Amino acid sequence: MKIRRSSRLVGMTHYLLHHPQQLVSLTFFAELYASAKSSVSEDLGIIKQTFEQQGIGTLVTVPGAAGGVKYIPSISIQEVNTTIEELCSLIQTPDRLLPGGYLYMTDILSNPNYVNSVGRMFASIFGDKKVDLVMTVATKGIPLAYAVANYLNVPVVIVRHDNKVTEGSTVSINYVSGSTKRIQTMTLAKRSIETGSNVLIIDDFMKAGGTITGMKNLLKEFQANVAGIGVLVEAVNIEERLVEDYISLVKLSEVNEREQLIRVEKGNFLEESFMKSE
Amino acid sequence: MKIRRSSRLVGMTHYLLHHPQQLVSLTFFAELYASAKSSVSEDLGIIKQTFEQQGIGTLVTVPGAAGGVKYIPSISIQEVNTTIEELCSLIQTPDRLLPGGYLYMTDILSNPNYVNSVGRMFASIFGDKKVDLVMTVATKGIPLAYAVANYLNVPVVIVRHDNKVTEGSTVSINYVSGSTKRIQTMTLAKRSIETGSNVLIIDDFMKAGGTITGMKNLLKEFQANVAGIGVLVEAVNIEERLVEDYISLVKLSEVNEREQLIRVEKGNFLEESFMKSE
């Protein structure tokens, strides 16, 4: 085998993985590697086949003069299953239980491996929708939002509870926390969202959905659209759920502080991705 | 050319890129691709050569029964130069100027491409030090910290200004902001850092260095060590700098609100990496 082709395969794989959802012209690769377009095209065929076989994603070819190739990340059903099972068993360890029935999840959200897996999962399920931005609320949702945005190759906007001088002019709304019924404020820099943008909302935890409803209302102020909602963990046994259409990875079915018990089940992610593939 | 080898090259490149700083045994790849260790070893040679030629990083081989191969990300001097120049020209646009001489940087920190480049730069300059954790303070430093942690394959700890119930027991310290001289509080979950950990501090902006000094003091409380300090932008013309030993990408040399002027220069990153390569 010629070193040249091997080297091109390695280099192109690296480039595509680092530029997801981005159209790359064959000319770009041909010039970068001083190779014929026909060889580049053959290489892309091999990369596409391997990506698909190994559940990494796929390459979409756009024909024509302005065409090229685009890497769409995805994840195999098996990997989704393994990751969700791993998350479930991690989350149900009793030493996560904090006073008030809250859960300590910082260690999971600190780990780039889990964060990236979650990002890949959400990016693959929302990848066929038009997403211009990923939105989350400070602080815990931030790593997940960036991981999703990374695979979708779009910016992130972070809603804050305070009003920092470094944001410039801001838009604020009040919202009612669904579970505690407290009135809170949400703030977002005015220049962060353009009118008509399609925004994917990502958060780490959803109880009744007050915070997510707040973000939806904030998007209305910007005349932007909700492209989807994804949460890592949702609590069940909620009297009144404020949000309907969302994707979750893990469902918290029981938290019993007295008996130091956490019970979890898989979220609706698998049902949704199963329905899509039918 | 055999499809098998090409496919292995693509798959192994993907695997290594997603598992930086992690020892992968030859047996693992040999079993994954049902191939001889000698073929896998040859493939790794090709990948190593390409990674080095294209400034992606290198592969380090650890011999012996418990050995294997480890991908160490890096970045070429040219790419560092281009990225820092791009950041400089982005940052000096006058419409970033906010009341009080602050700068709007949210758009840069929202963009996964910039965030990843910054992450790769810091990971490559601190990659030869022992780093167990990356630490930052909420909110703006978080994406940069995750990007660095991603390339170093270590967890992130986020210091907060408030005390959330979802953190469990916490350690708090008071510190004096270097520029405003206000007393502020910093909080970190008790279970987030083990004694003796080596911690890399990453932040988006450093004025006098009060916040970073606060993080250093917090690390003392945990009996942890500072492995390094990296900031995206440092302000110059500071009367009394509280932090000495840090790496910056961009230096803000002048901010004139009246004349709507921002002047920047390159940070000390290049000097430091130049000294290292001598």
Side-chain angles (χ1 to χ4, degrees):
Chain A
M1 181 168 60
K2 278 188 293 177
I3 284 294
R4 188 115 169 243
R5 158 145 292 169
S6 322
S7 185
R8 250 185 357 237
L9 281 172
V10 172
M12 282 163 69
T13 301
H14 170 259
Y15 190 90
L16 291 165
L17 289 173
H18 277 72
H19 298 83
Q21 302 277 356
Q22 196 173 306
L23 194 65
V24 187
S25 74
L26 262 61
T27 315
F28 172 82
F29 281 133
E31 282 172 5
L32 190 63
Y33 298 109
S35 305
K37 272 200 198 179
S38 56
S39 315
V40 166
S41 176
E42 245 179 86
D43 296 345
L44 290 169
I46 296 168
I47 296 174
K48 181 184 160 85
Q49 199 190 358
T50 310
F51 277 15
E52 288 175 356
Q53 275 167 359
Q54 302 191 5
I56 299 168
T58 189
L59 299 188
V60 172
T61 311
V62 179
V69 70
K70 202 194 267 191
Y71 156 53
I72 314 284
S74 71
I75 189 165
S76 67
I77 277 288
Q78 294 92 312
E79 210 181 329
V80 168
N81 250 317
T82 321
T83 313
I84 292 185
E85 275 163 20
E86 206 179 334
L87 288 169
C88 282
S89 79
L90 259 175
I91 290 173
Q92 67 189 352
T93 51
D95 62 348
R96 300 201 170 272
L97 216 46
L98 297 173
Y102 285 92
L103 286 194
Y104 184 81
M105 297 214 298
T106 306
D107 57 329
I108 299 171
L109 296 171
S110 305
N111 185 317
N113 294 323
Y114 293 124
V115 168
N116 283 335
S117 295
V118 172
R120 241 175 96 203
M121 284 195 268
F122 282 130
S124 76
I125 205 165
F126 292 115
D128 58 348
K129 303 219 164 107
K130 195 169 161 20
V131 176
D132 303 308
L133 287 171
V134 174
M135 181 192 228
T136 193
V137 67
T139 313
K140 290 213 191 305
I142 299 177
L144 298 179
Y146 269 88
V148 178
N150 233 326
Y151 285 105
L152 293 175
N153 202 12
V154 297
V156 177
V157 288
I158 300 168
V159 177
R160 306 178 60 121
H161 290 296
D162 51 0
N163 195 341
K164 281 277 271 196
V165 62
T166 47
E167 295 291 338
S169 9
T170 55
V171 175
S172 290
I173 60 155
N174 293 318
Y175 71 101
V176 181
S177 151
S179 39
T180 63
K181 305 284 179 204
R182 270 195 310 150
I183 290 188
Q184 301 194 48
T185 305
M186 252 182 205
T187 299
L188 189 60
K190 219 167 167 179
R191 42 179 140 175
S192 56
I193 302 186
E194 279 172 45
T195 306
S197 300
N198 300 296
V199 183
L200 173 60
I201 297 175
I202 295 291
D203 211 354
D204 61 315
F205 196 78
M206 179 172 78
K207 268 186 141 165
T211 310
I212 286 174
T213 307
M215 285 194 262
K216 285 171 76 177
N217 291 337
L218 196 53
L219 287 178
K220 271 186 213 153
E221 295 291 326
F222 283 89
Q223 294 174 46
N225 315 309
V226 179
I229 299 167
V231 295
L232 173 57
V233 178
E234 62 162 315
V236 290
N237 302 326
I238 295 297
E239 273 178 42
E240 196 193 354
R241 172 85 66 202
L242 301 169
V243 177
E244 288 292 324
D245 201 14
Y246 61 88
I247 306 273
S248 67
L249 300 190
V250 177
K251 257 185 210 168
L252 208 58
S253 37
E254 199 184 338
V255 176
N256 189 322
E257 233 187 310
R258 211 178 28 154
E259 292 176 24
Q260 289 278 307
L261 181 92
I262 302 173
R263 227 194 288 272
V264 300
E265 51 192 292
K266 290 180 185 176
N268 65 5
F269 187 98
L270 281 156
E271 301 157 31
E272 296 291 329
S273 51
F274 178 70
M275 279 168 64
K276 272 172 73 174
S277 65
E278 272 185 323
Chain B
M1 181 169 59
K2 278 189 293 177
I3 284 295
R4 188 115 170 244
R5 158 145 293 171
S6 322
S7 185
R8 246 182 4 232
L9 281 172
V10 172
M12 281 163 68
T13 300
H14 170 260
Y15 190 91
L16 290 165
L17 289 173
H18 277 72
H19 298 82
Q21 302 276 358
Q22 196 173 307
L23 194 65
V24 187
S25 72
L26 262 62
T27 316
F28 171 81
F29 281 133
E31 282 171 6
L32 191 62
Y33 298 109
S35 306
K37 272 199 196 179
S38 57
S39 316
V40 166
S41 177
E42 246 179 84
D43 296 345
L44 290 169
I46 296 168
I47 296 175
K48 179 184 160 84
Q49 199 190 359
T50 311
F51 277 15
E52 287 175 357
Q53 274 167 358
Q54 304 191 3
I56 298 168
T58 189
L59 298 188
V60 172
T61 310
V62 179
V69 71
K70 202 193 267 192
Y71 157 54
I72 313 284
S74 72
I75 189 164
S76 67
I77 277 289
Q78 295 91 312
E79 209 180 331
V80 168
N81 250 317
T82 321
T83 312
I84 292 184
E85 274 163 21
E86 206 179 335
L87 288 169
C88 282
S89 78
L90 260 175
I91 290 172
Q92 68 190 351
T93 52
D95 63 347
R96 302 201 168 272
L97 216 46
L98 297 174
Y102 286 90
L103 287 193
Y104 183 82
M105 297 214 301
T106 306
D107 58 329
I108 300 171
L109 296 171
S110 305
N111 185 317
N113 294 322
Y114 293 124
V115 168
N116 283 335
S117 295
V118 173
R120 241 176 95 204
M121 284 195 269
F122 283 131
S124 76
I125 204 165
F126 292 115
D128 58 348
K129 302 219 166 109
K130 194 168 162 20
V131 175
D132 304 307
L133 287 171
V134 174
M135 181 191 228
T136 193
V137 66
T139 311
K140 291 215 191 303
I142 299 178
L144 299 179
Y146 269 89
V148 179
N150 233 327
Y151 286 104
L152 293 176
N153 201 13
V154 296
V156 177
V157 289
I158 300 167
V159 177
R160 306 178 62 122
H161 289 295
D162 51 1
N163 195 340
K164 282 276 272 196
V165 60
T166 47
E167 295 290 340
S169 8
T170 55
V171 174
S172 291
I173 60 154
N174 292 319
Y175 70 102
V176 181
S177 151
S179 40
T180 63
K181 306 283 178 202
R182 271 195 308 149
I183 290 187
Q184 300 193 48
T185 306
M186 254 182 204
T187 299
L188 190 59
K190 219 168 168 177
R191 42 179 141 175
S192 56
I193 302 186
E194 279 172 43
T195 306
S197 301
N198 300 298
V199 182
L200 174 60
I201 297 175
I202 296 290
D203 211 353
D204 62 316
F205 196 78
M206 179 172 78
K207 270 186 141 164
T211 310
I212 286 174
T213 307
M215 284 194 262
K216 285 171 76 177
N217 291 337
L218 196 53
L219 286 178
K220 271 186 212 152
E221 294 292 325
F222 282 89
Q223 295 174 45
N225 316 309
V226 179
I229 299 168
V231 295
L232 172 56
V233 178
E234 62 163 314
V236 288
N237 301 327
I238 295 298
E239 273 177 44
E240 197 193 354
R241 172 85 66 202
L242 300 169
V243 178
E244 289 293 325
D245 200 15
Y246 61 88
I247 306 273
S248 67
L249 300 190
V250 177
K251 258 185 209 169
L252 208 58
S253 38
E254 200 183 339
V255 176
N256 189 322
E257 233 187 309
R258 212 178 29 153
E259 294 176 23
Q260 289 278 307
L261 181 91
I262 302 172
R263 228 194 288 273
V264 301
E265 51 192 292
K266 291 180 185 176
N268 65 4
F269 187 97
L270 279 156
E271 302 156 30
E272 297 290 330
S273 51
F274 177 68
M275 279 168 64
K276 270 171 76 173
S277 64
E278 273 186 319

